[in-house]
């Protein structure tokens, strides 16, 4: 196994691809905080999932036409108080990027941390493997340059 520029480029590309979803989400949250606009959306439906054990409160809504001309119905899991207010008023507050209706944050939205933990662990493991491979290739290259026999070559 010989590590050259091509191998390094592949490792860098792999690290970028693995981290891209996390970076995209972080960028989207930053944009929402900086450029997001708070609007009132029309609630089209409310549902309680798993009502008997650990209920999930889901609100479906449509953004104003000037933000989302297609008037797509979007779902969001919210806390119970927000769910009850949205059911009564048929309205819910949403922070949204005017040029990208899919980038949104609903008032009272609940986000489960399990998904973030799993994704973080997977990304961390893959990043560690990429770094380990890079270090192995770097060590092999140094041994070859100093005249020591390479242990990974056949």
């Amino acid at each position: 196994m010989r590590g050259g520029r091509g191998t390094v480029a592949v490792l860098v590309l792999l690290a970028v691809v693995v981290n891209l979803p996390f970076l995209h989400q972080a960028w989207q949250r930053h944009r929402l905080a900086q450029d997001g606009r708070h609007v009132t959306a029309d609630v089209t439906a409310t549902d309680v999932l798993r009502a008997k054990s650990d209920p999930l409160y889901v609100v479906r809504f449509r953004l104003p036409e000037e933000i989302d001309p297609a008037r797509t119905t979007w779902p969001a899991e919210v806390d119970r108080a927000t769910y009850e207010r949205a059911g009564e008023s048929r309205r819910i507050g949403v922070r949204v990027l005017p040029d990208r209706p899919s980038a949104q944050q609903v008032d009272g939205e609940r986000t489960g941390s399990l998904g973030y933990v799993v994704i973080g662990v997977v990304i961390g493991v893959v990043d560690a493997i990429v770094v380990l491979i890079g270090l192995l290739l770097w060590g092999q290259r140094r041994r070859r340059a100093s005249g020591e026999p390479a242990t990974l070559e056949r």
Side-chain angles (χ1 to χ4, degrees):
M1 181 181 210
R2 292 173 24 184
R5 288 185 195 158
T7 305
V8 172
V10 168
L11 290 174
V12 169
L13 180 63
L14 180 61
V16 168
V17 168
V18 166
N19 289 285
L20 199 57
F22 171 74
L23 296 173
H24 175 72
Q25 184 180 35
W27 174 248
Q28 189 166 290
R29 285 182 182 216
H30 169 74
R31 283 207 53 216
L32 270 172
Q34 295 297 314
D35 305 325
R37 191 170 127 202
H38 198 271
V39 298
T40 301
D42 297 325
V43 173
T44 60
T46 57
D47 296 305
V48 179
L49 307 176
R50 297 189 322 218
K52 294 182 180 180
S53 65
D54 192 26
L56 301 175
Y57 301 98
V58 178
V59 173
R60 290 180 176 73
F61 61 92
R62 286 193 182 118
L63 295 167
E65 191 171 358
E66 65 269 10
I67 300 291
D68 184 13
R71 300 286 287 166
T72 306
T73 299
W74 303 95
E77 182 186 349
V78 296
D79 59 44
R80 184 177 182 160
T82 302
Y83 169 84
E84 289 173 354
R85 279 193 308 273
E88 291 171 10
S89 70
R90 307 308 290 172
R91 304 232 183 271
I92 193 164
V94 181
R95 188 165 190 82
V96 62
L97 290 176
D99 61 337
R100 188 172 186 165
S102 63
Q104 56 190 243
Q105 186 174 14
V106 177
D107 293 349
E109 187 172 14
R110 288 185 52 192
T111 55
S113 60
L114 180 60
Y116 294 119
V117 171
V118 170
I119 289 171
V121 168
V122 169
I123 289 173
V125 167
V126 173
D127 284 345
I129 290 170
V130 169
V131 168
L132 182 62
I133 291 170
L135 289 173
L136 288 171
L137 291 172
W138 178 70
Q140 179 184 12
R141 193 174 204 182
R142 285 192 63 208
R143 279 190 298 276
R144 202 176 315 127
S146 67
E148 294 178 30
T151 57
L152 294 177
E153 284 188 8
R154 290 185 176 189

